[in-house]
Every structure is written in C-alpha cells, then in structure tokens.
Amino acid sequence: MTAPSATRVHVKWFSDTGIGDIASVGGKNASLGELSRSLQSAGVKVPEGFATTSDAYRAFLEHNGLEPRIRDCIAEYEEGRATLRQAGAAIRELFLAAGFPDGIAAEIREHYRDLSQRAGQAQVPVAVRSSATAEDLPDASFAGQQETFLNVSGERAVLEACRRCYASLFTDRAISYRDIKGYGHLDVALSVGIQRMVRSDVGASGVMFSIDTESGFPQAVLISAAWGLGETVVQGTINPDKYQVFKPLLADSRLIPVIARETGAKERKMVYSHGGSALTRMVDTTERERAALVLTDAEAVLLARWATAVEQHYGRPMDMEWAKDGLTGELFMVQARPETVQARRSSSMFRTYHLQQQGQVLATGAAVGDSIAKGNVCVIRDAKDIESFTDGSVLVTRMTDPDWVPVMKRAAGIVTDHGGPTSHAAIVSRELGVPAVVGTGNATDTLPHGAPITLSCAEGEEGRVYEGLLEYTVEDVDMDRLPATRTDVMVNIGSPAAAFKWWRLPAAGVGLARMEFIISNLIRIHPMALVHPERVADDEAALISQLTRGYDDPQEYFVDTLATGIAKIAAPFYPKPVIVRLSDFKSNEYSHLIGGGSFEHPEENPMLGFRGASRYYSEDYREGFALECRALRRVREQIGFANVVVMVPFCRTVHEADQVIEAMASHGLVRGEAGLQLYMMCEIPSNVILAGQFAQRFDGFSIGSNDLTQLVLGVDRDSEQLAGLFDERDPAVSAMIAEAISKAHAAGIRIGICGQGPSNHPEFAEFLVGQGIDSLSLNPDTYLRTLPVIAAAEQRLSRRA
C-alpha cells in the first residue's frame, strides 16, 4: 500500500486557506476559506469546516492505479466505442470500488473528530461538497456538475461521501461540460469540503447574486429563498421566493431598500431523514409555508449587505449560497463563487431583440437570458431519454437539472415546469447562451411534442412561449458611439419587470413612470375596494382575499406592491430624477379592476370625465388617493429613492391644483420637504393659458402631447374615423407647445415632453429642440434611434445661430 508523501498537505482547515489556494482546494473551498479568514469583520458568518486537497485526490488515483483505466474509458467514449453513459458509469464504478490511502483516511477522520468537538457534538452532521480545482473560474461556473451530500454523520459516512464526490467528477454532465469548455478530463482534480451543517432543514436557505442575473444591472442583489435545505433552490426543483435589494442605499441603516419581493409556490422542501439509508428526504410544505415569505425585509437587507461585502472583497460580481438555522435564527454564508455570465458582458454593447409578430401565449415563467428563440417542441421528461433529443429543437422538460447539460448546448431554447432563475441549471443556460423559460408549472403537459413555438425572454422578467414560429429582429448598438445632446433625453417606463432591461441606456432619468401599469397588472384591485371591502360582491371579495394573502391589512398589499414597483423603476436610473405620475385611469378603466364596479359610475365621455386631479380630493376617491400617497412616501423615505418626483395629471384649474397640493400635504407629501418636487402634466389648454399661475405651484411641467392635441383640435384621439386629423405637428398644437415652453422658462421652471411625437416625427423633435425644451422622454425601444435625430437637430440649429 502506497503511503502519502510527507511533503504534501492532504487536508486543510477552511481558516487556513484563501483564494490563492484554488489549485489546491478548488474554487468552492478556497472561497469558503477566504470568507472565513477575511470577511468576518464585515459580519459575514461562515460555518466551520475543512477540505481535502488536490494532492489527496492525486494520491487516491495513484494508490488505486485509476489514471490509466480512466484514460481507457474516455478513449472508448471519444472513439465511439462506448456511449457517454457507459463511459461515465464505468469510471464512477472504479472510484466507488477504490479505497483511501491509510494516512489520508486518518487525516480526514482526525479533522472530523476535531470539528465535532468544536461543535460540542459526538458526531456533528456535515455537508460534504465537491470542489473541482478548475471550478468556479471567471469563464466557467461548473454549476451543479459534481455532487453534494447533506446531513452526513460519522467518520465512515464522511469517508464514503468523499469517495462519492470523487466519483461525481465523472458524471455524464461533468464529462460533457468539460468537453464544451475544453478542459482535459484528467487535468481537473477534485477537493472535498466538509462543512458543519446549518440547521436549515428546520429553517430556510437559498442562493443570491450580487448582480441581476438577467439584465446584468450591477446595483441589485438578487436573492432566492425556500424552506428547508438549499438543494431545492440550487437544483431548481421548486419555485422559490425572490427578492431584489438596491445596493447603493444599503449604507444607510435607516433605509430598507428592498425593491422587489415575490412569493414563490415552494410546494416542497428538503429535510433530514431519520432512519434508513437516505440522509435527506422531500416533504410537502404546509399551506401556511407556501403563503408566507421565507425572509423578512431585515433579513434580505442583511444578506444583501453580505453579498455587497463579498463582491467588494473579490472585486467582481459573485454567486453565493446562504442558509438560515431554524433553531437559532442565525444566517450563514455557505458558498461564494464568481458570477460567470453577466460579468463578462460588455457594458457598452447593447443588444435588443424585438418580436415583429404576435401569437397566442401558451406558457409563461421566469425568463433566463434576454433573447428570442424558435423551433419545434421536444418534450423529454426523463434524463435517460435525452439521446432522443433533436438538435435545434426547444427542449421542454420538468426541471432544468444539470444532467441535461449534454443537450442544453444543442437546444434552440429550454422550457421547464419547475425551477427559478437562480438554479444551477439556469446559470448554465445563461453561460451557454441558450434562452430558457423556467417554472412554467405545466409546460410538459400543455406544449405538444413537435409543435412549432417561439420562446421570448426579451419582454422583461416574464418569459413567454408563443404558438408558431414568429419573426423577430436583433439590434446591436455600441453605447460608446452614441452622440451627446444638450437636451436631456429621458425614458418612459411603466413596467417594473422591464425597467432593468434598459439600465445601460445613458438616459437622463425617467420622464414618465406610469402608476397605471403597476395597479392594473400587479395589484389588479381597485384601491377603494381595499378601503371598503363591505361594498364588494362576494365573488370579487374571494379573489381579493386570495391576492392579498400574506397581508394582515389588505390596504398594505396595495401600498407595498405599488411602492416596490415604483422603486424598481427608479433603481436603474438612481440618482437621476424619476418622474412618477399619479394614477390617471378613466372611470371605465377603473371599473375593470377587481371590485371597481362597486365604486365607478358610467360616463358618456370618460376621456373628459372623472379622471386625474379631480379624483384626488373627491370624497369618491380620497381614501384611495391616500394609499397612493402612502406608497410614494414609502418609496422616498423608507426604501430611499428621494430622486422620485411626483407629477399631477389632468389638472384643469388653478384652484384644483391647490386642492390636490393640500390633499397631498395632508398625507405627508409636502412640496419642498425632504427635497420633494411636484410636477404637473401640461395637457389641457387651460394649463398653457394660465401657465404662469400653475408655475407658482409646481417645480416643472411635462407636456402630454396626446391629450393636448385632442383638446386643442377637438379630435377624439381614439377615433379611427378622425385619425387623419390627429397630429401634434398641427400649427395650433405647435403654437400651444411653444407658448407653454416660453411661459415655463419665464417662470424659471423646467418643462419637458413625454409623448411619442419626437420618436415618430424627426421634424417634430427638431421643432421642440428649437423651442428650447429642457427634456424629451421617449419609450425605451425608440431611444437609441431617436437620440441621433435629436443630436442632429441640435447641430443644425447651432449652425443657423
């Protein structure tokens, strides 16, 4: 029997390792050592543990004479004399039949006994994790390629788990992944980490990134959370809770900068198993666990602070795992490695995908990537059937398990029933550049095998699967080549889910953030129905109860959802101004909200009816307006986006302006306090005629060219018969706009425009620039093509001057 060399180190405590030891203990274990040694001062807690080294792995191979036999198996696979499955199984059997050199086995036992003693237990439960020495490098995640064994107790069980980790270096997925990345199969060694288990089996766990994994927005921490042991999130077997926390505001301890919070289904959880050979088992969660959020806001903020500290220490975006001990309530960091996809993308190159056709939506889920793909459905429910996959098809399976890596590269796109955007398989999908829609719920049952579909991840956080092969375009823009403009060019944003997509645009802020999208698509309930539930019909009351599940006060559901939605829109543009328009539904639109029929009265002409400013001080809506104000205060004062500007729409008279300003002040939104600015939509002829008086009450105007055109020309903007008359370039409308700009500047306030006229008509953009308008706010998808038009208009005007 070969004795291990006395000059080689075979086992090391995490606290004795660091990031410089990747060649010895692999990326995972080197990172745990670095966290243990360098980040305790930042409050990051890491469970104790130790690691076997690459020398121990090499000694294991040499002791058992495995290397030549592994080479033979790989050669048979590469030459076509054996399938991937046959070669992988043969190599793994070699490892499982082999034994540790006596000296190395003794070292592992000794360290395990010491770890148990430190924990005050006879046989401390540990997690035994694989850590390849080429793993977690900046260009490869190796996510989920090797095995992890949880709740391992006893010296013999620890040694057996170590042997199984060694064998997992040659799973089918690991062999295939190394082939894709160009790593030699015997050039990669394996270290095993043995780490004290956190009692997350009775607590919670999850994954977090210090960067938004889909858009690459660098200022948000993305956290996934589920009950029980963390493998359910990592493997993508459940749909977890999701949180996003805004990093620049974390330094202020008074703020809670949680900008998104989503309750996942969390149908099952992994817990310890008692009795039998299995160390863990899956159980159903309770109805209460499914409805409840796993983390409090304070816990999400603490984890985000840790993620930020880890990122700053490493100097790069990071992918981390965390666990919460259910007995003590303590949070721990149990893993950290480099994020491998968004960190490599250029911040100056911006690629956008645009669907040119519409189709029936067959399934929705979380979008992985930001591109579009199309192909025929290939439903495969079990990994043993992956050899039946047809290249270029869209893979549809129950979950994105790493076992699917051999076919993921060959797929046009991927659709799964289960999983979240932070699962290991989702990470690999991004790394391979294959778009995926995960967590659809039932795609394997609803998407017919062989059917043509289009998979879109280009419409925000929600990925969609459309019927048919739809046409789409791809546009690449180099941000460094965009021209500078004297006029501030801003963007219009309505959807919080789409906001992060546009963070790379050099916009001067958000010129129009509409509340209506958040209320109609996310909240869905009429605010007065939450204030007066006794007036709502029983069937709608049941739906309201379902939507507000998890909130003790249904009104808090409205305030919280609206506040986080606005915050998410504001985040990509912080600290630039974000102008949020108060709700401007018409009565017919309000009546379509859940419970709305109990509070809205039919109107002959809703466009000129009970809308905008007239609602905010009315007894019929005053209590609903109070919820809007509560949400805005929370965005500015608790979440921390003091760059949010509040804008009043459809304000008909100066007296009405005074009433709205007074109503806002009664709810704590006082112009000038805490830097609060109030703007007004300039969209009614009276706004232009009395612009000087309105300017005494507001800090800025934003021209609403659609309503102004409608009211100046007397043309219903929704009428197909009169569409030819509706034109904001009409001399009468242009005269109104010119007058509004002149009067605003005479009063010393800013004025912009938030309509699509400048995008649709270059000559209109030139007219506005010529009038000296301060800002133009465009829809994001027209920003890139309109910016050069504005710059060219400024240059022509400059030459004429």
Side-chain angles (χ1 to χ4, degrees), residues 374-438:
K374 54 186 178 180
N376 294 331
V377 171
C378 187
V379 178
I380 302 179
R381 289 182 167 83
D382 196 295
K384 65 181 175 60
D385 299 320
I386 62 174
E387 291 178 8
S388 66
F389 179 75
T390 304
D391 287 3
S393 299
V394 176
L395 173 65
V396 179
T397 185
R398 290 193 176 98
M399 70 179 197
T400 51
D401 186 276
D403 281 328
W404 298 87
V405 169
V407 299
M408 290 168 77
K409 179 88 173 170
R410 296 155 46 202
I414 299 166
V415 181
T416 72
D417 291 344
H418 307 294
T422 58
S423 66
H424 274 155
I427 299 169
V428 174
S429 296
R430 293 186 197 98
E431 190 172 312
L432 298 179
V434 179
V437 177
V438 301

Side-chain angles (χ1 to χ4, degrees), residues 310-321:
V310 172
E311 179 183 65
Q312 290 173 347
H313 179 75
Y314 281 90
R316 65 183 67 157
M318 298 294 289
D319 165 4
M320 294 149 282
E321 295 174 30

